[in-house]
Amino acid sequence: NAGVTQTPKFRVLKTGQSMTLLCAQDMNHEYMYWYRQDPGMGLRLIHYSVGEGTTAKGEVPDGYNVSRLKKQNFLLGLESAAPSQTSVYFCASSERQGSIYGYTFGSGTRLTVV
Amino acid sequence: GQQLNQSPQSMFIQEGEDVSMNCTSSSIFNTWLWYKQEPGEGPVLLIALYKAGELTSNGRLTAQFGITRKDSFLNISASIPSDVGIYFCAGLNYGGSQGNLIFGKGTKLSVKP
């Protein structure tokens, strides 16, 4: 049972390039989330999904797009990467809203935009 | 929006010492969660608290859900080097457009052998 798997683990982009981060979960969770983690800022929610085919904005959505075409996958896209998007990105999933077990996190994608 | 104030930001302690950290909010939460993040990994759930006043232990870790529902505390007894990491509190409200976890900014723990 892999839990939440993120790919890639590391990536370096040039300013203006685009890329997609993939998150896959095998726990049949309804809810999935994308966070970014920056030093001293904790975890900030970018976008989330409450089920297949749905997405919603979180706290810091600008510059990112997401898609949830399949229940087990949640994709995060950067349309035109900027140095301010250098960060560690975490995907998470939960059974439902208000899950008593909290969220299960992936191990992160470290993105550097130069 | 809702915010959590987590303190201290960082701690440098000697192996064997006890550790205390806390989280406060201006808003009420239904659930408090404590996570640990080790270097290069995602956060992992340590303890979940569901009732005001609840005190829950997980080995050397003890966490409490404050009576006012606006705060929570985490204590680690007899620290060991593998306790190193960033500890996050998180508050959760049910219902409506809420239901997403609100995270504190973390307490970075360093343990000197």
Side-chain angles (χ1 to χ4, degrees):
Chain A
N1 193 343
V4 177
T5 303
Q6 291 183 233
T7 52
K9 292 192 181 302
F10 303 94
R11 185 73 186 269
V12 178
L13 283 180
K14 292 183 179 178
T15 297
Q17 285 185 318
S18 62
M19 78 162 293
T20 300
L21 282 67
L22 173 63
C23 177
Q25 53 96 1
D26 61 3
M27 298 170 286
N28 202 34
H29 283 175
E30 287 293 332
Y31 286 66
M32 297 187 74
Y33 314 84
W34 275 106
Y35 286 88
R36 60 177 289 173
Q37 183 179 31
D38 303 292
M41 299 295 291
L43 290 156
R44 293 183 292 170
L45 183 64
I46 304 171
H47 285 281
Y48 65 101
S49 168
V50 302
E52 183 179 315
T54 73
T55 63
K57 294 180 180 179
E59 180 186 357
V60 288
D62 294 342
Y64 305 96
N65 58 73
V66 287
S67 64
R68 183 99 180 269
L69 298 179
K70 292 183 179 180
K71 185 178 183 179
Q72 63 267 34
N73 296 337
F74 195 29
L75 279 62
L76 178 71
L78 281 72
E79 298 152 343
S80 178
S84 61
Q85 294 178 303
T86 293
S87 187
V88 182
Y89 291 85
F90 287 100
C91 176
S93 70
S94 65
E95 289 181 350
R96 61 185 185 278
Q97 189 181 54
S99 170
I100 62 170
Y101 300 110
Y103 296 3
T104 301
F105 283 86
S107 58
T109 295
R110 185 174 293 275
L111 176 66
T112 302
V113 182
V114 298
Chain B
Q2 292 177 309
Q3 288 189 336
L4 294 182
N5 298 310
Q6 187 172 350
S7 63
Q9 282 188 322
S10 61
M11 302 181 75
F12 296 85
I13 63 169
Q14 198 78 30
E15 183 178 0
E17 290 182 356
D18 296 343
V19 173
S20 290
M21 59 189 79
N22 70 80
C23 227
T24 60
S25 171
S26 57
S27 304
I28 289 172
F29 288 104
N30 301 112
T31 297
W32 283 95
L33 303 166
W34 284 92
Y35 285 84
K36 178 188 178 186
Q37 183 182 25
E38 296 188 1
E41 297 295 328
V44 174
L45 184 65
L46 296 174
I47 291 179
L49 302 156
Y50 307 112
K51 225 165 49 169
E54 179 181 358
L55 187 72
T56 297
S57 293
N58 178 5
R60 292 178 296 104
L61 277 62
T62 302
Q64 183 161 25
F65 192 143
I67 288 291
T68 65
R69 294 167 63 193
K70 292 182 179 180
D71 56 9
S72 180
F73 305 87
L74 177 69
N75 296 317
I76 305 173
S77 63
S79 59
I80 58 179
S82 62
D83 289 334
V84 163
I86 303 176
Y87 291 80
F88 290 100
C89 63
L92 178 67
N93 274 328
Y94 307 141
S97 60
Q98 293 293 330
N100 291 319
L101 284 181
I102 309 297
F103 283 90
K105 294 185 177 179
T107 295
K108 186 174 183 179
L109 179 64
S110 302
V111 180
K112 188 176 178 182

